Amino acid sequence: MPPGLIVLLLSLLLGLQPITTDLYLPALPELTAQLSAPMAQAQLTLTALLLAFGGSQLVWGPLSDRFGRRPILLIGLVAYVLASIASSLAPSMGWLIVWRTLQGAAMGAGVMCARAIVRDLYAPTQGARVMSKGLSGLGVIACLSAPLGGLLTQWLNWRFALLALGVFAAVTLVVVALRFEETVQHKNPQALQLGTLLATWRHILGHPTFLAFSALTACSYSGLFTFLAASSFVFTGVLGLSKMQYGLVMFVNSLAYIGGTFLCRHWLPRFGVRRAVAFAGVLSLTGGTLMALLTLSGWISLWSILLPQLIFMVGHGIHQPCGQSGSVGPFPQAAGAASAMNGILMMVCAFAMGGWLGGHMDGTVLPLTLGVWFWSALIALSAWTLVQKHG
């Protein structure tokens, strides 16, 4: 496959994650009100999706090592399209949670295979640069997701916002079906045997390089998830922004992430992975600390939250490509399983944070700002210790 096609495929597959979480965020307050559901139940439409997304990768990963990436991608994308249609027709919050959970499980196939494909085709350092290009595409999709969700919700209703996810997945399905060529050169016929699975997982979880980069990606994603899960209620409910204004906030947030991925590609050949991650740790901690101190001091406004968040997102744009490619680097023969394990660790941390937010959203900005601060400290700790030693 031409390099440009690989980057396009990575962008679409990785883009399933932000479009699934970001596009419906402007609709979240409206659908919560229309379905007469409590806020804690509304949070489950996001946290249950992410838990299913993480858990499903433990199944998709070994399956893709056994049968190849292509069949897993086709099955997952078809399931995603069907779950999206069902979500848009959900009659209650309970059914919406069910369909969003299935949607998350299907999304796991696409995102897991994207990370594994990078390891199939590239060595770890080159893979980090290619991953950063794919994640730049992810950032573009994330830029468009929240504004589009705001427009669809404002002009039509929240059901059309959820239906748009199925349209995106259908386009991705067509591209995969017509252009994607299998990247697994030697399928592992023993990948699904219980003994092999347990031995593979034990080997992955015991590898210090995997643990170092997985700690980095899990903490970085959890910081982003804290912002995503609480932002619609904070910006529209507490600060009084309109759906369109909130969509613009998310657009700018994604632009900062894209900037981080470009900076990652500039720093990698100059400094290497470990030093690039260390510098990004400074950005993460600076953004999180500044956000918390400004709000604790009583300055609560759009800019007191957004400007520090932009600094945090630049660091996120460096941590994710380095961490995702680094975590699967030591496992060329089990890239699917390693990608899956990295994915589920990220989602378990995000799910736990989502559960905490559901019980602590108190009508103030503090759950968001203090949550991002907490994760920024753990990001810096991982970047400056574990990655430096084992990266």
Side-chain angles (χ1 to χ4, degrees), residues 189-215:
Q190 298 180 327
L192 297 177
Q193 295 179 7
L194 181 60
T196 301
L197 272 176
L198 294 176
T200 300
W201 288 339
R202 184 167 57 249
H203 175 55
I204 292 170
L205 289 173
H207 201 291
T209 299
F210 173 83
L211 294 176
F213 281 116
S214 292

Side-chain angles (χ1 to χ4, degrees), residues 7 9-10 27 66-67 77 80 89 95 128 131 140 146 166 169 174 203 206 212 231 233 313 325 329 346-347 350 364:
V7 172
L9 285 166
L10 291 176
R66 171 64 183 88
F67 298 108
L77 289 169
Y80 185 100
L89 301 174
W95 277 110
M131 178 66 80
V140 173
V174 171
H203 175 55
S231 60
F233 296 101
M313 287 303 294
S325 60
M346 284 194 283
M347 293 312 112
T364 72

Side-chain angles (χ1 to χ4, degrees), residues 14 115 131 217 319-328 342 346:
L14 294 168
R115 292 196 297 260
M131 178 66 80
T217 56
H319 293 311
Q320 286 300 312
C322 291
Q324 290 186 29
S325 60
S327 64
V328 301
N342 175 256
M346 284 194 283

Side-chain angles (χ1 to χ4, degrees), residues 11 13-24 107 111 137-139 141-143 145-146 165 228 254:
S11 299
L13 294 173
L14 294 168
L16 285 170
Q17 189 169 352
I19 200 171
T20 306
T21 56
D22 295 11
L23 191 142
Y24 98 119
M107 179 174 71
V111 177
L138 175 151
I141 293 169
C143 277
S145 294
L165 305 180
L228 294 179
S254 299

Side-chain angles (χ1 to χ4, degrees), residues 54 107 129 132 331 363:
M107 179 174 71
R129 299 187 68 184
S132 72
F331 314 103

Side-chain angles (χ1 to χ4, degrees), residues 150-163:
L151 287 173
L152 291 173
T153 304
Q154 186 169 321
W155 291 349
L156 300 169
N157 60 49
W158 61 268
R159 296 186 185 275
F160 285 88
L162 292 180
L163 187 60

Side-chain angles (χ1 to χ4, degrees), residues 2 4-5 27 55 147 175 178 180 185 194 201 207 212 215 238 287 303 322 333 349-350:
L5 175 60
V175 175
L178 297 180
F180 178 70
Q185 299 301 316
L194 181 60
W201 288 339
H207 201 291
V238 180
W303 298 111
C322 291
Q333 303 304 318
C349 291

Side-chain angles (χ1 to χ4, degrees), residues 233-263:
F233 296 101
V234 167
F235 285 111
T236 61
V238 180
L239 300 179
L241 272 63
S242 68
K243 292 184 177 65
M244 281 298 300
Q245 290 172 325
Y246 172 68
L248 289 175
V249 166
M250 300 304 289
F251 176 81
V252 174
N253 189 60
S254 299
L255 279 182
Y257 174 71
I258 294 173
T261 63
F262 278 92
L263 186 59

